[in-house]
């Protein structure tokens, strides 16, 4: 370990199901983990940040079948393909040190060994599984666990399942797990402990079915062909196989295990706080130090899900607002341990208020004033005013420690709120000290220099502490302050910026967004793409042949065509229908044709419809057109036939 390092720190996200493209909810957890990992690196820890994908299970097998590809091709496309999981994490500036796929050979082989170990030590045994299974969640349930007969996690139907299966003796570990949850701070927030103990442990923890025979896409149980390992066992052990547990691919188990924290969404806390520690107990392995169950990002009060069609695309938001602004919004707007309601309005107003008005303005005003009043750099001669400076200086000086305390408790929202309290205070300090007034007299220049110095120093410390959330912005601000120090120690020392600071101006960090226009643009973008060509559904009602033959279709030649006064729809046709008497037909096609371009054309009309009046004029028949929709717009083409066909010829 390097001398300066504070020690190792291992943090993980859940590994994602590549059953569909990831949405903003998935991004939320990964951004939070990234912020924590960056914070720990900033503090001086040797961090290993792991994320990855959980690629086995029936759901993936079914989806691949639907798509007509192999399961491996299916997951490869979602993980590695354009706009896939890896692309998204790159876009979001996620600093994971490792990425595990549960289809990686080393992981598969390790899972087989782990399963065999638990079988050999008697904690896995063979029996018959009878119960309920929720396919989308890959979860087994007992009848009593269902809520109104449905899966307690997702509310969907469960299917009856009965098959020969292996079981893990979860019941054996019930007391130890309960003790772990109730008497240590293994699981946070505390509210989740009550939920786990009351809903799952106290009603009686049953042994867990840990193999399946009804599908193939999983890690095969090597000593019993036909069985594949339950996807959650395969998935949970990723946290250790990624460090080299039961494999030679990696070699840092001793350094990083036990993990400092697993960040997981609230619906998978059960797997991480009951099943996971029980399996580790079975293998006599150290337990992770903490599982933190964060809340969900909700949309219109409900969970986002592909099947509900209400997912929010992080690509679109990152493109429109920038990656740092999106990362910031996710961490600033919702308390990490509870659910939060996502909305575009909240996103835009957070960017406008905090980033454009407060932070952006502070940086640009401060730098602009320093340059305007002093040119390249501040003068060394500066005059502090104890009374006027004390509050701001005290707030900035204590900020790092207050922030640290919040970050250690994963209270990202509070940590950011502390920074923004200081930023607001600094904006107020500008108004209180009115630099533009001080600038008017030469005598006040030393005081003016000190005011600007205090502001620059505030910006340095605030921006440095924003690094875990907005790494690119922090770097940019450091450059604008002339390469200001933003390492952990410097962020706790007020006055480190040289007195003769030389700030550099730049474009607005966060331009203000026009709420109304932006909401309209987002609304437009969220609409599903219009199909290129849409045709009318076919009629299901049959017409008997004799009825059809009653319709008299004739070729007609256009002798004259005129617009109809006061109607923007109708054209009036004078037609030669071969009878020697002109026929008049009115047709609502003015939007599609100019009258003069139709004269002389041979069209098709149905001629034995009863005459009807339109805009006071008689219409005797109807012209036949082809209609379809193109990119949402209705299109119409009059049916035109060969001009060699004489007027009045019957179409049959
Ligand atoms: O659960 N808000 O994978 P997953 C917040 N493969 N978090 C959300 C969310 C939302 N709207 N939607 C999803 C799995 N998540 C397993 C994990 S770990 C050994 C195996 C979070 O892709 C969700 O809570 O379904 C979970 O923590 C993570 O995204 C991955 O979900």
């Amino acid at each position: 370990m390097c001398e300066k390092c504070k020690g190792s720190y291992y943090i993980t996200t859940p590994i994602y199901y590549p059953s569909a493209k990831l949405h903003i909810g998935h991004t939320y957890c990964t951004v939070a983990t990234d912020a924590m990992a960056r914070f720990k690196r900033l503090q001086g820890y040797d961090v290993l940040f792991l994320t990855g994908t959980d690629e086995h299970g029936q759901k993936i097998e079914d989806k691949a079948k639907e798509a007509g590809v192999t399961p491996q091709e299916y997951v490869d496309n979602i993980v590695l393909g354009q706009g896939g999981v890896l692309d998204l994490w790159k876009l979001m500036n996620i600093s994971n040190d490792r990425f595990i796929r549960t289809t990686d050979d080393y992981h598969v082989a390790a899972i087989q060994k782990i399963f065999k170990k638990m079988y050999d030590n008697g904690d896995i045994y063979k029996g018959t599984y009878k119960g309920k299974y929720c396919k989308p969640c890959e979860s087994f349930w007992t009848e009593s666990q269902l809520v109104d007969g449905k899966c307690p996690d997702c509310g969907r139907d469960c299917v009856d399942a009965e098959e020969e299966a292996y079981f893990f003796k979860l019941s054996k570990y019930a007391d130890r797990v309960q003790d772990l949850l109730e008497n240590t701070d293994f699981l946070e927030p505390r509210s989740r402990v009550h939920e786990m103990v009351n809903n799952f442990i106290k009603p009686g923890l049953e042994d867990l079915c840990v193999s399946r025979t009804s599908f193939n896409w999983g890690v095969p149980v090597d000593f019993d062909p036909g069985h594949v390992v339950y996807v959650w066992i395969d998935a949970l052990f990723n946290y250790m196989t990624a460090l080299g547990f039961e494999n030679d691919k990696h070699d840092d188990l001793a350094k990083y295990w036990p993990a400092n924290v697993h960040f997981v969404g609230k619906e998978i806390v059960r797997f991480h706080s009951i099943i996971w520690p029980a399996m580790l107990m079975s293998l006599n392995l150290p337990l992770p130090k903490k599982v933190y169950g964060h809340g969900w990002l909700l949309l219109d009060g409900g969970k986002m899900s592909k099947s509900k069609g209400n997912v929010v695309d992080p690509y679109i938001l990152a493109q429109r607002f920038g990656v740092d602004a999106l990362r910031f919004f996710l961490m600033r707007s919702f308390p990490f341990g509870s659910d939060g309601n996502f909305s575009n309005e909240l996103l835009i107003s957070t960017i406008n208020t905090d980033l454009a008005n407060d932070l952006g303005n502070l940086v640009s005003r401060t730098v602009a004033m320093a340059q305007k009043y002093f040119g390249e750099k501040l003068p060394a001669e500066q005059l502090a005013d104890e009374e006027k400076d004390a509050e701001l200086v005290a707030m900035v000086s204590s900020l790092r420690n207050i922030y640290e305390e919040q970050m250690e408790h994963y209270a990202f929202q509070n940590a950011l709120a502390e920074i923004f309290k200081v930023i607001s205070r600094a904006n107020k300090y500008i108004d209180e000290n009115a630099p533009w007034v001080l600038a008017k007299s030469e005598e006040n220049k030393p005081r003016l220099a000190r005011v600007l110095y205090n502001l620059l120093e505030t910006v340095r410390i605030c921006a440095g502490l924003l690094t875990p959330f907005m790494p690119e912005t922090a770097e940019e601000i450091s450059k604008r302050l002339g390469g200001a120090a933003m390492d952990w120690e410097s962020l706790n020392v007020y006055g480190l910026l040289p007195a003769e600071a030389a700030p550099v101006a730049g474009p607005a960090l966060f331009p203000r967004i026009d709420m109304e226009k932006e909401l309209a643009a987002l609304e437009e973008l969220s609409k599903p793409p219009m199909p290129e060509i849409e045709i009318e559904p076919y009629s299901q009602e049959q017409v008997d042949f004799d009825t059809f033959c009653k319709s008299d279709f004739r070729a007609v030649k256009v002798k004259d065509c005129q617009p109809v006064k006061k109607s923007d729809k109708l054209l009036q046709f004078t037609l030669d229908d071969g009878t020697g008497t002109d026929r008049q037909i009115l047709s609502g096609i003015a939007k599609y044709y100019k009258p003069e371009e139709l004269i002389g054309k041979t069209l098709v009309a149905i001629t034995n419809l009863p005459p009807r009046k339109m805009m006071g004029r008689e219409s005797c028949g109807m012209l036949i057109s082809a209609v379809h929709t193109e990119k949402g717009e209705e299109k119409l083409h009059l049916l035109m036939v060969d001009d060699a066909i004489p007027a009045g010829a019957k179409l049959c």
Side-chain angles (χ1 to χ4, degrees), residues 14-17 23 25-26 54 232 235 239 265 267-268 294-297:
I15 48 172
Y16 297 83
Y17 279 126
H23 55 68
H26 302 109
D54 177 9
W232 269 101
Y239 300 131
E267 85 284 18
I268 58 172
H294 66 77
W296 284 343
L297 279 197

Side-chain angles (χ1 to χ4, degrees), residues 262-532:
H262 297 309
F263 276 1
V264 302
K266 64 177 186 178
E267 85 284 18
I268 58 172
V269 164
R270 182 171 73 97
F271 298 96
H272 285 82
S273 67
I274 298 177
I275 298 171
W276 180 221
M279 287 194 299
L280 293 170
M281 287 170 187
S282 161
L283 294 171
N284 270 325
L285 293 164
L287 306 182
K289 292 180 189 158
K290 190 168 304 292
V291 170
Y292 191 92
H294 66 77
W296 284 343
L297 279 197
L298 305 176
L299 197 67
D300 304 323
K303 196 181 179 210
M304 285 176 206
S305 84
K306 179 89 198 320
S307 56
K308 282 198 225 156
N310 66 349
V311 294
V312 175
D313 186 344
Y315 273 96
I316 294 183
L317 300 183
Q319 265 159 15
R320 297 195 73 81
F321 304 113
V323 171
D324 272 7
L326 181 57
R327 288 172 59 108
F328 172 79
F329 159 74
L330 291 173
M331 298 292 97
R332 167 76 163 135
S333 310
F334 314 104
F336 193 47
S338 322
D339 291 349
N341 257 313
F342 174 92
S343 74
N344 288 329
E345 286 88 338
L346 182 62
L347 169 58
I348 297 166
S349 68
T350 306
I351 295 176
N352 279 346
T353 309
D354 287 345
L355 299 183
N357 286 4
D358 291 356
L359 174 65
N361 262 346
L362 177 65
V363 175
S364 57
R365 282 164 93 191
T366 306
V367 172
M369 288 190 290
Q371 289 191 329
K372 181 171 172 197
Y373 302 136
F374 295 108
E376 203 188 316
K377 56 183 187 178
L378 295 186
E381 195 196 344
Q382 300 186 358
L383 182 65
D385 180 329
E386 180 57 31
E387 203 182 311
K388 286 189 169 155
D389 299 344
E391 193 182 331
L392 179 66
V393 172
M395 280 176 89
V396 179
S397 305
S398 59
L399 182 59
R400 196 205 74 171
N401 290 347
I402 294 172
Y403 161 95
E404 182 177 26
E405 174 70 18
Q406 297 294 346
M407 292 296 284
E408 295 292 3
H409 291 98
Y410 321 107
F412 305 115
Q413 191 185 33
N414 295 352
L416 287 167
E418 294 296 341
I419 298 176
F420 277 78
K421 263 190 227 166
V422 176
I423 291 175
S424 304
R425 184 66 192 84
N427 277 319
K428 198 169 145 217
Y429 177 85
I430 298 183
D431 298 337
E432 286 164 359
N433 287 282
W436 46 92
V437 177
L438 294 174
K440 285 186 183 149
S441 94
E442 209 43 44
E443 191 190 329
N444 286 330
K445 284 279 167 91
R447 175 63 194 143
L448 176 61
R450 186 62 190 177
V451 167
L452 292 173
Y453 179 85
N454 285 337
L455 290 168
L456 290 172
E457 195 53 352
T458 305
V459 168
R460 177 181 72 85
I461 290 180
C462 290
L465 296 175
L466 283 171
T467 308
F469 302 95
M470 300 199 286
E472 283 175 357
T473 305
E475 202 182 316
E476 175 61 23
I477 294 178
S478 164
K479 276 190 207 147
R480 293 201 189 176
L481 300 186
M486 288 185 179
D487 59 277
W488 188 242
E489 292 316 318
S490 315
L491 296 175
N492 206 28
V493 184
Y494 191 90
L496 264 193
L497 199 68
E500 290 176 87
V504 201
L509 290 171
F510 299 97
R512 233 191 119 69
I513 300 162
D514 181 323
M515 173 78 84
E516 230 168 88
K517 271 196 198 151
E518 189 56 35
L519 286 177
L522 287 171
E523 166 94 36
E524 202 50 43
L525 284 168
S526 70
K527 284 186 191 155
M530 290 278 189
E532 286 290 307

Side-chain angles (χ1 to χ4, degrees), residues 90-101:
K90 198 167 162 206
L91 170 78
M92 293 305 300
N93 208 354
I94 301 301
S95 64
N96 57 299
D97 302 282
R98 217 161 271 178
F99 190 93
I100 185 169
R101 301 180 63 186

